Amino acid sequence: MAVPPAVPPAVPTGTPAAPDRPRAAPDSTAVDPLKSARRAGDPPCDVYLTGTVFLDIIFTGLDSAPVRGTESWARGMGSSPGGVANMATALARLGLRTSLAAAFGDDHYGEYCWDALEQGEGIDLTSSRTVPDWHSPVTVSMAYEGERTMVSHGHEPPPDAHAPDGGAPACPPRARAAIASLTPGTRAPWIESAARRGTTIFADVGWDDTGRWDLGQLPDLRHCEAFLPNAEEAMRYTRTTCPRAAAHALTEHVPVAVVTLGAEGAYAVDGRTGETASVPAIEVEALDPTGAGDVFVAGFVTGTLADWPLADRLAFAGLTAALSVQEFGGSLSAPGWEEIGAWWRRVRELDQQDPVALERYGFLEALLPDAARPWPLRRAVPTIGFRRSA
């Protein structure tokens, strides 16, 4: 499928457009994708999630990997909330009412991340807490050659008597959906609690450091509506050699399986209906892939809650992920509807555009706002260290 690059890569300079306040997301509420589904008595939030918030310090514009014993200079640098904040921001910018439960340090990093998420992105932090004398986890990320190298440091926050489940409330707030990151061999009681209250659970998973790759070690998977591993994870868990075969095998454990295929796009199966969908990746020049997987999940969740067809959900998730990799940083790069709208208008304006591509993303037409911002778009780059203006 011939689809033009989403946004020409921007090389950040590290100088914020508004040094006294993290960048707000004015376009995140321009579209309410769930407008037709909202009813009186709905849950107060659309999506609930919990996890660790990192302060991300990102270096871009490196020509190659750093070499031991030498000093490397990066052409771009910025700071932003990372970790679970990547997905929370992606959801909020797509217009979903997002609730995050996380621990924040009472250092400057923690204050900055809290402010950026609550004030800048409109994320509900009622279920979050500030931990006295606990320093924020930090990740330094270096992006080069379309990949990244990361170094992280942090300590587990002290337990909270009101949130014994790793910082997540034992009884999370009512929500249409929740996103859970499954850990092999670990049960998270909040997942079952949320599912019993009618919350739709979406799950991803990280690399299994134990090497067992046993679906029986993911006990909370039985409470999930959808499971979204990458191809390597899916094949290892199902003992298959084909990602698409792995997706079908996973539907024996979860209703909907979505397997991301990297440069080949993504493949999804609905085990209840037998419906399948395959969407190719959008070819882009990647600046920084940090957080692209989180953005993909956010896009798929948005489409699912809006009750779109499976293929549209998959296409939208791939588009939002493609838009994100052309900007640097995790939460910084998550696109809002204004960016999506600018991309769609650009697609339609190009001569000799592939009609298949136009048809594939035609469902966007009825959703998108009339954005005033010109093409190409540039996002502000927030950072820390500047004094607030009086």
Side-chain angles (χ1 to χ4, degrees), residues 329-345:
S331 61
L332 292 180
S333 67
W337 286 101
E338 198 167 5
E339 283 96 344
I340 297 168
W343 175 84
W344 176 239
R345 287 193 303 278

Side-chain angles (χ1 to χ4, degrees), residues 11-29:
V11 179
T13 64
T15 301
D20 62 326
R21 172 67 63 180
R23 169 202 182 274
D27 56 330
S28 64
T29 57

Side-chain angles (χ1 to χ4, degrees), residues 140-190:
V140 175
S141 177
M142 293 165 284
Y144 53 88
E145 298 174 355
E147 285 295 336
R148 67 193 187 279
T149 297
M150 296 182 290
V151 178
S152 297
H153 173 72
H155 301 283
E156 290 291 329
D160 181 3
H162 301 289
D165 185 17
C171 186
R174 289 179 59 239
R176 295 174 184 269
I179 301 174
S181 183
L182 305 183
T183 302
T186 301
R187 187 186 301 274
W190 75 264

Side-chain angles (χ1 to χ4, degrees), residues 249-272:
L250 286 172
T251 58
E252 298 178 7
H253 305 270
V254 66
V256 178
V258 180
V259 177
T260 54
L261 309 174
E264 296 181 25
Y267 183 76
V269 182
D270 188 328
R272 287 169 300 202

